Amino acid sequence: MRNRIWAVTSGLLGAAILVLLFFYGIEYGTWIDEAGPLTTSPPTFLLPFAIGGIAGILMIGGFAVSLSGLNTESSFDA
């Protein structure tokens, strides 16, 4: 049971990171649109994409482990 709780927690953490990155992208895009032509180039999207990839793996892995544990727990309830 404890493993499933941690798996769901890690899945929810990954989903929360993805939601935060989504809102970061909205704010960043709005800032770029309002700034107009810049004398210096804006920062790259490499770091947000890397964080989003890690969060996606965390979310998918957490939920997959949680759902696969449901079958195991139900067989031991006898």
Side-chain angles (χ1 to χ4, degrees):
M1 178 68 176
R2 192 177 329 173
N3 291 339
R4 194 171 97 200
I5 291 172
W6 280 112
V8 170
T9 302
S10 67
L12 291 175
L13 182 63
I17 293 170
L18 289 175
V19 168
L20 289 174
L21 279 175
F22 175 76
F23 286 114
Y24 168 77
I26 290 173
E27 291 296 320
Y28 185 78
T30 302
W31 179 80
I32 291 291
D33 287 343
E34 291 175 355
L38 301 172
T39 57
T40 60
S41 62
T44 65
F45 281 103
L46 184 62
L47 185 60
F49 280 139
I51 293 171
I54 292 169
I57 291 170
L58 183 67
M59 183 181 71
I60 292 169
F63 289 141
V65 167
S66 173
L67 292 175
S68 67
L70 290 176
N71 292 337
T72 309
E73 280 186 20
S74 63
S75 65
F76 291 115
D77 287 341

